[in-house]
PDB file of all heavy atoms in Angstrom:
ATOM      1  N   ASP U   1      13.960 -68.930   8.968  1.00 88.00           N
ATOM      2  CA  ASP U   1      13.251 -68.200  10.019  1.00 88.00           C
ATOM      3  C   ASP U   1      12.004 -67.516   9.475  1.00 88.00           C
ATOM      4  O   ASP U   1      10.993 -67.379  10.179  1.00 88.00           O
ATOM      5  CB  ASP U   1      14.169 -67.159  10.662  1.00 88.00           C
ATOM      6  CG  ASP U   1      15.306 -67.792  11.455  1.00 88.00           C
ATOM      7  OD1 ASP U   1      15.208 -69.000  11.753  1.00 88.00           O
ATOM      8  OD2 ASP U   1      16.296 -67.085  11.750  1.00 88.00           O
ATOM      9  N   LEU U   2      12.099 -67.070   8.221  1.00 90.00           N
ATOM     10  CA  LEU U   2      10.948 -66.420   7.593  1.00 90.00           C
ATOM     11  C   LEU U   2       9.792 -67.408   7.449  1.00 90.00           C
ATOM     12  O   LEU U   2       8.616 -67.056   7.648  1.00 90.00           O
ATOM     13  CB  LEU U   2      11.354 -65.875   6.222  1.00 90.00           C
ATOM     14  CG  LEU U   2      10.319 -65.018   5.479  1.00 90.00           C
ATOM     15  CD1 LEU U   2      10.028 -63.736   6.271  1.00 90.00           C
ATOM     16  CD2 LEU U   2      10.826 -64.661   4.083  1.00 90.00           C
ATOM     17  N   VAL U   3      10.114 -68.654   7.125  1.00 89.00           N
ATOM     18  CA  VAL U   3       9.090 -69.698   6.953  1.00 89.00           C
ATOM     19  C   VAL U   3       8.519 -70.112   8.308  1.00 89.00           C
ATOM     20  O   VAL U   3       7.299 -70.276   8.474  1.00 89.00           O
ATOM     21  CB  VAL U   3       9.681 -70.915   6.214  1.00 89.00           C
ATOM     22  CG1 VAL U   3       8.681 -72.075   6.205  1.00 89.00           C
ATOM     23  CG2 VAL U   3      10.066 -70.534   4.810  1.00 89.00           C
ATOM     24  N   THR U   4       9.405 -70.243   9.312  1.00 88.00           N
ATOM     25  CA  THR U   4       8.962 -70.726  10.620  1.00 88.00           C
ATOM     26  C   THR U   4       8.456 -69.613  11.524  1.00 88.00           C
ATOM     27  O   THR U   4       7.785 -69.879  12.527  1.00 88.00           O
ATOM     28  CB  THR U   4      10.117 -71.449  11.337  1.00 88.00           C
ATOM     29  OG1 THR U   4      11.202 -70.527  11.545  1.00 88.00           O
ATOM     30  CG2 THR U   4      10.601 -72.629  10.508  1.00 88.00           C
ATOM     31  N   GLY U   5       8.833 -68.363  11.161  1.00 81.00           N
ATOM     32  CA  GLY U   5       8.419 -67.241  11.995  1.00 81.00           C
ATOM     33  C   GLY U   5       9.270 -67.066  13.226  1.00 81.00           C
ATOM     34  O   GLY U   5       8.928 -66.292  14.130  1.00 81.00           O
ATOM     35  N   ALA U   6      10.414 -67.742  13.287  1.00 78.00           N
ATOM     36  CA  ALA U   6      11.296 -67.659  14.454  1.00 78.00           C
ATOM     37  C   ALA U   6      12.305 -66.531  14.289  1.00 78.00           C
ATOM     38  O   ALA U   6      12.584 -66.073  13.184  1.00 78.00           O
ATOM     39  CB  ALA U   6      12.030 -68.990  14.645  1.00 78.00           C
ATOM     40  N   GLY U   7      12.871 -66.072  15.421  1.00 73.00           N
ATOM     41  CA  GLY U   7      13.966 -65.119  15.389  1.00 73.00           C
ATOM     42  C   GLY U   7      13.514 -63.692  15.109  1.00 73.00           C
ATOM     43  O   GLY U   7      12.339 -63.405  14.853  1.00 73.00           O
ATOM     44  N   ASP U   8      14.488 -62.775  15.194  1.00 81.00           N
ATOM     45  CA  ASP U   8      14.258 -61.351  14.909  1.00 81.00           C
ATOM     46  C   ASP U   8      14.483 -61.136  13.411  1.00 81.00           C
ATOM     47  O   ASP U   8      15.608 -60.915  12.962  1.00 81.00           O
ATOM     48  CB  ASP U   8      15.217 -60.502  15.741  1.00 81.00           C
ATOM     49  CG  ASP U   8      14.922 -59.006  15.617  1.00 81.00           C
ATOM     50  OD1 ASP U   8      14.194 -58.626  14.675  1.00 81.00           O
ATOM     51  OD2 ASP U   8      15.449 -58.236  16.440  1.00 81.00           O
ATOM     52  N   LEU U   9      13.411 -61.208  12.631  1.00 88.00           N
ATOM     53  CA  LEU U   9      13.555 -61.163  11.174  1.00 88.00           C
ATOM     54  C   LEU U   9      14.088 -59.825  10.678  1.00 88.00           C
ATOM     55  O   LEU U   9      14.877 -59.773   9.733  1.00 88.00           O
ATOM     56  CB  LEU U   9      12.192 -61.461  10.525  1.00 88.00           C
ATOM     57  CG  LEU U   9      11.640 -62.874  10.733  1.00 88.00           C
ATOM     58  CD1 LEU U   9      10.275 -63.025  10.083  1.00 88.00           C
ATOM     59  CD2 LEU U   9      12.608 -63.902  10.163  1.00 88.00           C
ATOM     60  N   GLY U  10      13.689 -58.729  11.313  1.00 89.00           N
ATOM     61  CA  GLY U  10      14.150 -57.407  10.874  1.00 89.00           C
ATOM     62  C   GLY U  10      15.652 -57.258  11.030  1.00 89.00           C
ATOM     63  O   GLY U  10      16.355 -56.806  10.119  1.00 89.00           O
ATOM     64  N   PHE U  11      16.144 -57.630  12.199  1.00 89.00           N
ATOM     65  CA  PHE U  11      17.588 -57.548  12.465  1.00 89.00           C
ATOM     66  C   PHE U  11      18.363 -58.492  11.540  1.00 89.00           C
ATOM     67  O   PHE U  11      19.380 -58.130  10.945  1.00 89.00           O
ATOM     68  CB  PHE U  11      17.852 -57.900  13.932  1.00 89.00           C
ATOM     69  CG  PHE U  11      19.302 -57.909  14.306  1.00 89.00           C
ATOM     70  CD1 PHE U  11      20.027 -56.727  14.376  1.00 89.00           C
ATOM     71  CD2 PHE U  11      19.953 -59.112  14.587  1.00 89.00           C
ATOM     72  CE1 PHE U  11      21.373 -56.745  14.733  1.00 89.00           C
ATOM     73  CE2 PHE U  11      21.295 -59.124  14.930  1.00 89.00           C
ATOM     74  CZ  PHE U  11      22.011 -57.944  15.006  1.00 89.00           C
ATOM     75  N   SER U  12      17.857 -59.721  11.406  1.00 91.00           N
ATOM     76  CA  SER U  12      18.522 -60.717  10.561  1.00 91.00           C
ATOM     77  C   SER U  12      18.566 -60.261   9.104  1.00 91.00           C
ATOM     78  O   SER U  12      19.577 -60.429   8.417  1.00 91.00           O
ATOM     79  CB  SER U  12      17.790 -62.056  10.675  1.00 91.00           C
ATOM     80  OG  SER U  12      18.415 -63.029   9.866  1.00 91.00           O
ATOM     81  N   PHE U  13      17.446 -59.656   8.633  1.00 93.00           N
ATOM     82  CA  PHE U  13      17.401 -59.178   7.243  1.00 93.00           C
ATOM     83  C   PHE U  13      18.447 -58.090   6.999  1.00 93.00           C
ATOM     84  O   PHE U  13      19.145 -58.094   5.975  1.00 93.00           O
ATOM     85  CB  PHE U  13      16.002 -58.644   6.924  1.00 93.00           C
ATOM     86  CG  PHE U  13      15.918 -57.975   5.583  1.00 93.00           C
ATOM     87  CD1 PHE U  13      15.881 -58.717   4.404  1.00 93.00           C
ATOM     88  CD2 PHE U  13      15.895 -56.581   5.477  1.00 93.00           C
ATOM     89  CE1 PHE U  13      15.823 -58.097   3.167  1.00 93.00           C
ATOM     90  CE2 PHE U  13      15.838 -55.955   4.248  1.00 93.00           C
ATOM     91  CZ  PHE U  13      15.798 -56.714   3.089  1.00 93.00           C
ATOM     92  N   GLN U  14      18.575 -57.156   7.928  1.00 93.00           N
ATOM     93  CA  GLN U  14      19.534 -56.059   7.757  1.00 93.00           C
ATOM     94  C   GLN U  14      20.980 -56.569   7.753  1.00 93.00           C
ATOM     95  O   GLN U  14      21.800 -56.115   6.947  1.00 93.00           O
ATOM     96  CB  GLN U  14      19.336 -55.025   8.869  1.00 93.00           C
ATOM     97  CG  GLN U  14      18.022 -54.266   8.777  1.00 93.00           C
ATOM     98  CD  GLN U  14      17.877 -53.252   9.888  1.00 93.00           C
ATOM     99  OE1 GLN U  14      18.537 -52.211   9.870  1.00 93.00           O
ATOM    100  NE2 GLN U  14      17.043 -53.564  10.884  1.00 93.00           N
ATOM    101  N   ILE U  15      21.283 -57.521   8.644  1.00 93.00           N
ATOM    102  CA  ILE U  15      22.635 -58.084   8.664  1.00 93.00           C
ATOM    103  C   ILE U  15      22.930 -58.777   7.340  1.00 93.00           C
ATOM    104  O   ILE U  15      24.001 -58.602   6.737  1.00 93.00           O
ATOM    105  CB  ILE U  15      22.807 -59.069   9.837  1.00 93.00           C
ATOM    106  CG1 ILE U  15      22.724 -58.336  11.184  1.00 93.00           C
ATOM    107  CG2 ILE U  15      24.132 -59.823   9.717  1.00 93.00           C
ATOM    108  CD1 ILE U  15      23.878 -57.398  11.445  1.00 93.00           C
ATOM    109  N   ASN U  16      21.962 -59.563   6.850  1.00 93.00           N
ATOM    110  CA  ASN U  16      22.126 -60.235   5.558  1.00 93.00           C
ATOM    111  C   ASN U  16      22.361 -59.241   4.436  1.00 93.00           C
ATOM    112  O   ASN U  16      23.241 -59.439   3.588  1.00 93.00           O
ATOM    113  CB  ASN U  16      20.878 -61.074   5.237  1.00 93.00           C
ATOM    114  CG  ASN U  16      20.996 -62.495   5.738  1.00 93.00           C
ATOM    115  OD1 ASN U  16      21.732 -63.299   5.175  1.00 93.00           O
ATOM    116  ND2 ASN U  16      20.280 -62.798   6.813  1.00 93.00           N
ATOM    117  N   LEU U  17      21.564 -58.187   4.442  1.00 95.00           N
ATOM    118  CA  LEU U  17      21.658 -57.179   3.383  1.00 95.00           C
ATOM    119  C   LEU U  17      23.052 -56.562   3.336  1.00 95.00           C
ATOM    120  O   LEU U  17      23.674 -56.461   2.268  1.00 95.00           O
ATOM    121  CB  LEU U  17      20.595 -56.094   3.624  1.00 95.00           C
ATOM    122  CG  LEU U  17      20.509 -54.989   2.564  1.00 95.00           C
ATOM    123  CD1 LEU U  17      20.027 -55.555   1.240  1.00 95.00           C
ATOM    124  CD2 LEU U  17      19.579 -53.872   3.049  1.00 95.00           C
ATOM    125  N   TRP U  18      23.574 -56.203   4.501  1.00 94.00           N
ATOM    126  CA  TRP U  18      24.883 -55.539   4.533  1.00 94.00           C
ATOM    127  C   TRP U  18      26.033 -56.514   4.295  1.00 94.00           C
ATOM    128  O   TRP U  18      27.088 -56.118   3.792  1.00 94.00           O
ATOM    129  CB  TRP U  18      25.063 -54.786   5.847  1.00 94.00           C
ATOM    130  CG  TRP U  18      24.233 -53.527   5.846  1.00 94.00           C
ATOM    131  CD1 TRP U  18      23.043 -53.320   6.469  1.00 94.00           C
ATOM    132  CD2 TRP U  18      24.520 -52.330   5.118  1.00 94.00           C
ATOM    133  NE1 TRP U  18      22.570 -52.064   6.202  1.00 94.00           N
ATOM    134  CE2 TRP U  18      23.459 -51.430   5.370  1.00 94.00           C
ATOM    135  CE3 TRP U  18      25.567 -51.928   4.300  1.00 94.00           C
ATOM    136  CZ2 TRP U  18      23.416 -50.154   4.821  1.00 94.00           C
ATOM    137  CZ3 TRP U  18      25.535 -50.650   3.746  1.00 94.00           C
ATOM    138  CH2 TRP U  18      24.470 -49.783   4.007  1.00 94.00           C
ATOM    139  N   LEU U  19      25.832 -57.772   4.607  1.00 94.00           N
ATOM    140  CA  LEU U  19      26.855 -58.765   4.259  1.00 94.00           C
ATOM    141  C   LEU U  19      26.986 -58.878   2.739  1.00 94.00           C
ATOM    142  O   LEU U  19      28.097 -58.924   2.195  1.00 94.00           O
ATOM    143  CB  LEU U  19      26.501 -60.128   4.861  1.00 94.00           C
ATOM    144  CG  LEU U  19      26.721 -60.292   6.374  1.00 94.00           C
ATOM    145  CD1 LEU U  19      26.204 -61.651   6.837  1.00 94.00           C
ATOM    146  CD2 LEU U  19      28.193 -60.143   6.731  1.00 94.00           C
ATOM    147  N   TRP U  20      25.837 -58.934   2.059  1.00 96.00           N
ATOM    148  CA  TRP U  20      25.892 -59.005   0.596  1.00 96.00           C
ATOM    149  C   TRP U  20      26.436 -57.712   0.007  1.00 96.00           C
ATOM    150  O   TRP U  20      27.155 -57.734  -0.994  1.00 96.00           O
ATOM    151  CB  TRP U  20      24.503 -59.311   0.028  1.00 96.00           C
ATOM    152  CG  TRP U  20      24.143 -60.756   0.127  1.00 96.00           C
ATOM    153  CD1 TRP U  20      23.167 -61.325   0.883  1.00 96.00           C
ATOM    154  CD2 TRP U  20      24.799 -61.833  -0.554  1.00 96.00           C
ATOM    155  NE1 TRP U  20      23.160 -62.688   0.737  1.00 96.00           N
ATOM    156  CE2 TRP U  20      24.148 -63.035  -0.151  1.00 96.00           C
ATOM    157  CE3 TRP U  20      25.857 -61.918  -1.450  1.00 96.00           C
ATOM    158  CZ2 TRP U  20      24.530 -64.286  -0.631  1.00 96.00           C
ATOM    159  CZ3 TRP U  20      26.235 -63.165  -1.921  1.00 96.00           C
ATOM    160  CH2 TRP U  20      25.588 -64.332  -1.516  1.00 96.00           C
ATOM    161  N   PHE U  21      26.114 -56.576   0.626  1.00 95.00           N
ATOM    162  CA  PHE U  21      26.684 -55.304   0.159  1.00 95.00           C
ATOM    163  C   PHE U  21      28.207 -55.319   0.282  1.00 95.00           C
ATOM    164  O   PHE U  21      28.918 -54.786  -0.573  1.00 95.00           O
ATOM    165  CB  PHE U  21      26.110 -54.133   0.966  1.00 95.00           C
ATOM    166  CG  PHE U  21      24.800 -53.611   0.446  1.00 95.00           C
ATOM    167  CD1 PHE U  21      23.952 -52.889   1.261  1.00 95.00           C
ATOM    168  CD2 PHE U  21      24.417 -53.836  -0.867  1.00 95.00           C
ATOM    169  CE1 PHE U  21      22.737 -52.399   0.789  1.00 95.00           C
ATOM    170  CE2 PHE U  21      23.210 -53.352  -1.352  1.00 95.00           C
ATOM    171  CZ  PHE U  21      22.365 -52.640  -0.523  1.00 95.00           C
ATOM    172  N   THR U  22      28.716 -55.939   1.357  1.00 94.00           N
ATOM    173  CA  THR U  22      30.171 -56.019   1.539  1.00 94.00           C
ATOM    174  C   THR U  22      30.816 -56.751   0.367  1.00 94.00           C
ATOM    175  O   THR U  22      31.832 -56.307  -0.186  1.00 94.00           O
ATOM    176  CB  THR U  22      30.506 -56.750   2.850  1.00 94.00           C
ATOM    177  OG1 THR U  22      29.915 -56.055   3.938  1.00 94.00           O
ATOM    178  CG2 THR U  22      32.016 -56.819   3.065  1.00 94.00           C
ATOM    179  N   VAL U  23      30.213 -57.876  -0.031  1.00 95.00           N
ATOM    180  CA  VAL U  23      30.740 -58.636  -1.166  1.00 95.00           C
ATOM    181  C   VAL U  23      30.614 -57.825  -2.456  1.00 95.00           C
ATOM    182  O   VAL U  23      31.553 -57.745  -3.256  1.00 95.00           O
ATOM    183  CB  VAL U  23      29.999 -59.985  -1.311  1.00 95.00           C
ATOM    184  CG1 VAL U  23      30.519 -60.751  -2.518  1.00 95.00           C
ATOM    185  CG2 VAL U  23      30.160 -60.813  -0.047  1.00 95.00           C
ATOM    186  N   LEU U  24      29.438 -57.209  -2.665  1.00 95.00           N
ATOM    187  CA  LEU U  24      29.206 -56.446  -3.900  1.00 95.00           C
ATOM    188  C   LEU U  24      30.116 -55.227  -3.990  1.00 95.00           C
ATOM    189  O   LEU U  24      30.618 -54.885  -5.066  1.00 95.00           O
ATOM    190  CB  LEU U  24      27.742 -56.019  -3.981  1.00 95.00           C
ATOM    191  CG  LEU U  24      26.743 -57.137  -4.301  1.00 95.00           C
ATOM    192  CD1 LEU U  24      25.307 -56.650  -4.124  1.00 95.00           C
ATOM    193  CD2 LEU U  24      26.950 -57.634  -5.729  1.00 95.00           C
TER     194      LEU U  24
END
């Protein structure tokens, strides 16, 4: 999405960040 510019990048980034925090 970052490459194509599609989607809500801010929301998607935060979800990704907290998913990785869950694993860490």
Side-chain angles (χ1 to χ4, degrees):
D1 292 344
L2 187 64
V3 172
T4 61
D8 187 344
L9 294 178
F11 177 70
S12 180
F13 173 76
Q14 292 180 73
I15 294 292
N16 269 287
L17 183 67
W18 285 102
L19 285 175
W20 281 113
F21 275 159
T22 301
V23 178
L24 287 170

